[in-house]
Amino acid sequence: MTFEQLIPAPARAEGHSGGGFVLDGATTLWAGAGTEGTERWLRSTLGGALQLPLAPGAEGAPGSVSLRVDGELAAEAYRLTVAADGVEIRGGSAAGVFWGAQTFRQLLGADAFRRAAVRPGQERTVPPGVVEDAPRFGWRGMMLDVARHFMPKEGVLRYLDLLAAHKLNVFHFHLTDDQGWRVEIKRYPKLTEVASWRSRTKWGHRASELWDEKPHGGFYTQDDIREIVAYAGSLHITVVPEIDVPGHSQAAIAAYPELGNTDVIDTAALGVWDSWGVTPNVLAPSDTTLRFYEGVFEEVLELFPSTFIHVGGDECPKEQWKDSAAVQERIEELGLSNEDELQSWFIRHFDKWLSARGRRLIGWDEILEGGLAEGAAVSSWRGYGGGIAAAQAGHDVVMCPEQHVYLDHRQHGGADEPVPIGFVRTLEDVYRFEPVPGELTEEEARHVLGTQANVWTEVMEYHGRVDYQVFPRLAALAEVAWRELPAPAERDFADFERRMTAHYARLDALGVDYRPPGGPLPWQKRPGVLGRPIEGAPPNV
Ligand code: ACM
């Protein structure tokens, strides 16, 4: 492996002449204060993959790998120095050291990505040189929808490893939706007894006639969540939980019918939704609902230490609110002029509630409609527009426009893509995605915290399907999030593709079911299952 095969490519890498560093059974590991987590990670990953002890050694001992926090570097920056007599990874913080260790693993070859050694005595030579690196953005993420299809805990832990391998540091965990509620809330047991499973599932896009006639469900216990959050923390990944309100809430209403618009429909007759799209069955903006979700968020805050808490806020149809006498009374009583303002009032309630507890609200860009809550940040998904408006108004933004980084969308225009959805967005398209739109001034652009890919799982029934949609495109997103790249048209995609050759071997070693460059393998296809193959169609058609 060489410095020319890294993904994401580092800001600066320079090969030196002379002998490389030999990593073998005699190599020791020295960890300075604050780097113990990376020490453990190196010993378990490289120690397992290469069957090396990486025994603790003395500081500066010849033939050692040393880890050190260096306050001169920016927090997530690192400097990796490889010489014949030793390797040093310096980071501006524990996270910087960890990202440097991830780069070091890439220099050791694809086998370093396995869980155990495929042959004994794995000696490696790493070429001499220096890598100096730091991320462009502080928010480099992926959202995973575990509501449409549940991903068991082991799969989530595996995804955290995959994010870390790409130097991504935010896991946006979409835990609730119309089709399932996935987190145990102790005070509301029916959220897991009733709302965590559905009796059957639409197979394909909602226009499909096909059904998978078996129950689908699952949820994370609070201890599962604690484990996930702690594991993510060990990989320097923040887990941002999403509890979607006031739309995308049918599963919760199925469990607790009093949360719905009971004067408009018989909410007691609602089940957890078994199809896809946007349901009209949304929360009633009542005191009952507010108190209920405050109870939910109280438990969520205990489980998730992240500053940001995502409250959804997307795709809340207003028909039931228009038809409900109780809701109309509420609008009147609050002195609001319409249902958009009511949604805004609802979100503001949780903005104040979260702020009072030292957290910050983030929501999908619909939270801009009717006025953006103070201190709130926006996930700009319907395009750049919401993010631009939010940044211009002084709000923080995560850029994740569906036209660019929705990984449920198909990655090739061919007929063989499994359950093709939405826009065709190739690996190259993602590589040429620019998170900061040119309309923003430098000052406004500082509100762009970063970017993330969003993975909606309506047509991803198990982790192999998730892998297929996510990879290789997440590798491109990771480079976009990590590196200062030229303007989209000037980016060297040929060079990225060349580096991907080495990266596919790493993904193979990690057991990732990615889309091969030549298209889906026979078992990755889904012939006859209807998707949404209309290029340029409006969202959610
Ligand atoms: C979304 O895609 N509804 C945020």
Side-chain angles (χ1 to χ4, degrees):
M1 282 297 130
T2 72
F3 298 117
E4 285 80 47
Q5 291 176 324
L6 298 169
I7 287 190
R12 197 176 82 85
E14 183 187 290
H16 291 165
S17 55
F21 176 77
V22 179
L23 186 82
D24 61 17
T27 303
T28 57
L29 189 54
W30 178 81
T35 69
E36 298 81 2
T38 298
E39 178 189 21
R40 268 195 302 280
W41 181 84
L42 279 171
R43 198 165 282 129
S44 69
T45 54
L46 294 189
L50 305 177
Q51 213 178 13
L52 300 173
L54 296 174
E59 179 175 6
S64 68
V65 174
S66 51
L67 312 175
R68 198 185 299 275
V69 172
D70 177 346
E72 302 276 292
L73 296 172
E76 286 195 285
Y78 69 88
R79 185 186 306 123
L80 165 66
T81 310
V82 183
D85 61 352
V87 170
E88 185 190 62
I89 305 173
R90 278 176 187 260
S93 66
V97 175
F98 183 69
W99 304 132
Q102 288 287 354
T103 296
F104 183 54
R105 179 164 64 155
Q106 290 200 2
L107 293 171
L108 289 166
D111 279 353
F113 288 77
R114 294 184 182 274
R115 292 263 176 103
V118 291
R119 55 190 69 83
Q122 302 256 63
E123 178 182 305
R124 300 278 147 160
T125 303
V126 187
V130 179
V131 178
E132 284 180 326
D133 204 8
R136 177 181 182 194
F137 293 113
W139 184 301
R140 307 179 302 277
M142 188 184 100
M143 185 220 75
L144 182 65
D145 165 17
V146 294
R148 271 51 176 269
H149 279 100
F150 180 62
M151 182 180 280
K153 184 196 73 181
E154 278 303 315
V156 173
L157 298 174
R158 171 177 174 270
Y159 255 87
L160 292 171
D161 283 332
L162 294 174
L163 296 195
H166 292 83
K167 299 189 174 74
L168 296 169
N169 67 347
V170 176
F171 179 60
H172 171 170
F173 206 8
H174 184 80
L175 286 164
T176 72
D177 217 300
D178 300 306
Q179 297 85 357
W181 182 285
R182 306 289 175 219
V183 53
E184 178 188 27
I185 300 295
K186 300 268 191 204
R187 73 188 78 183
Y188 305 126
K190 283 196 280 184
L191 287 174
T192 38
E193 286 163 18
V194 174
S196 75
W197 67 279
R198 55 183 182 260
S199 55
R200 63 174 189 167
T201 295
K202 175 58 60 92
W203 177 219
H205 177 250
R206 70 175 172 283
S208 159
E209 301 280 308
L210 305 173
W211 294 94
D212 188 3
E213 293 283 356
K214 69 177 183 347
H216 176 87
F219 65 92
Y220 311 103
T221 67
Q222 294 205 345
D223 276 352
D224 290 341
I225 295 284
R226 288 186 184 97
E227 180 185 1
I228 288 168
V229 168
Y231 189 66
S234 78
L235 302 172
H236 299 279
I237 294 171
T238 300
V239 183
V240 175
E242 180 182 351
I243 304 291
D244 207 338
V245 292
H248 288 288
S249 301
Q250 185 170 321
I253 299 168
Y256 292 95
E258 63 272 26
L259 298 174
N261 294 289
T262 52
D263 62 344
V264 180
I265 59 153
D266 177 10
T267 56
L270 280 181
V272 176
W273 206 21
D274 55 13
S275 190
W276 311 125
V278 177
T279 139
N281 300 310
V282 303
L283 297 176
S286 62
D287 287 337
T288 303
T289 301
L290 294 180
R291 298 292 91 73
F292 182 95
Y293 275 89
E294 286 167 6
V296 169
F297 281 116
E298 270 177 30
E299 297 192 29
V300 166
L301 295 196
E302 276 172 26
L303 294 169
F304 295 94
S306 74
T307 301
F308 282 105
I309 302 292
H310 208 292
V311 302
D314 57 322
E315 298 179 316
C316 178
K318 304 295 188 303
E319 282 68 33
Q320 290 188 353
W321 289 4
K322 288 193 172 114
D323 292 344
S324 160
V327 173
Q328 292 305 313
E329 237 171 71
R330 182 112 214 184
I331 288 177
E332 179 118 356
E333 163 201 309
L334 292 167
L336 303 174
S337 44
N338 57 37
E339 292 76 21
D340 280 345
E341 285 192 7
L342 186 62
Q343 153 132 354
S344 186
W345 169 85
F346 190 95
I347 297 293
R348 275 173 206 268
H349 175 85
F350 287 102
D351 184 40
K352 286 197 209 96
W353 191 93
L354 288 167
S355 300
R357 287 155 185 80
R359 307 297 183 101
R360 291 181 64 192
L361 177 145
I362 184 165
W364 300 109
D365 56 50
E366 286 94 329
I367 69 170
L368 287 160
E369 288 160 16
L372 183 55
E374 196 187 326
V378 166
S379 307
S380 190
W381 77 275
R382 291 179 295 179
Y384 284 110
I388 292 170
Q392 288 176 339
H395 292 279
D396 288 339
V397 175
V398 176
M399 277 295 179
C400 48
E402 65 166 350
Q403 296 83 352
H404 299 273
V405 290
Y406 266 37
L407 300 187
D408 51 330
H409 289 185
R410 58 204 162 129
Q411 49 202 318
H412 191 273
D416 282 344
E417 290 310 302
V419 203
I421 296 287
F423 306 100
V424 175
R425 288 300 171 259
T426 63
L427 179 64
E428 179 166 358
D429 292 331
V430 175
Y431 192 66
R432 295 191 193 281
F433 165 61
E434 172 49 47
V436 180
E439 289 91 327
L440 296 182
T441 64
E442 214 172 288
E443 171 76 22
E444 290 159 357
R446 277 200 275 277
H447 285 293
V448 179
L449 301 177
T451 184
Q452 64 181 39
N454 293 337
V455 183
W456 302 100
T457 59
E458 288 92 335
V459 298
M460 300 176 210
E461 69 280 8
Y462 79 110
H463 85 259
R465 278 286 295 125
V466 176
D467 282 6
Y468 181 92
Q469 294 303 127
V470 170
F471 291 101
R473 292 183 293 180
L474 192 71
L477 186 278
E479 184 147 312
V480 166
W482 181 269
R483 278 213 67 180
E484 294 278 354
L485 291 170
E490 280 138 45
R491 291 181 190 172
D492 190 350
F493 180 67
D495 177 64
F496 179 76
E497 260 190 321
R498 182 188 57 70
R499 286 181 284 120
M500 277 305 295
T501 307
H503 203 64
Y504 282 121
R506 297 177 195 129
L507 297 178
D508 283 329
L510 286 163
V512 175
D513 223 349
Y514 57 82
R515 180 187 189 279
L521 300 167
W523 57 90
Q524 291 176 319
K525 297 176 188 175
R526 294 287 182 274
V529 184
L530 194 61
R532 179 160 62 89
I534 311 156
E535 171 68 352
N540 300 308
V541 167

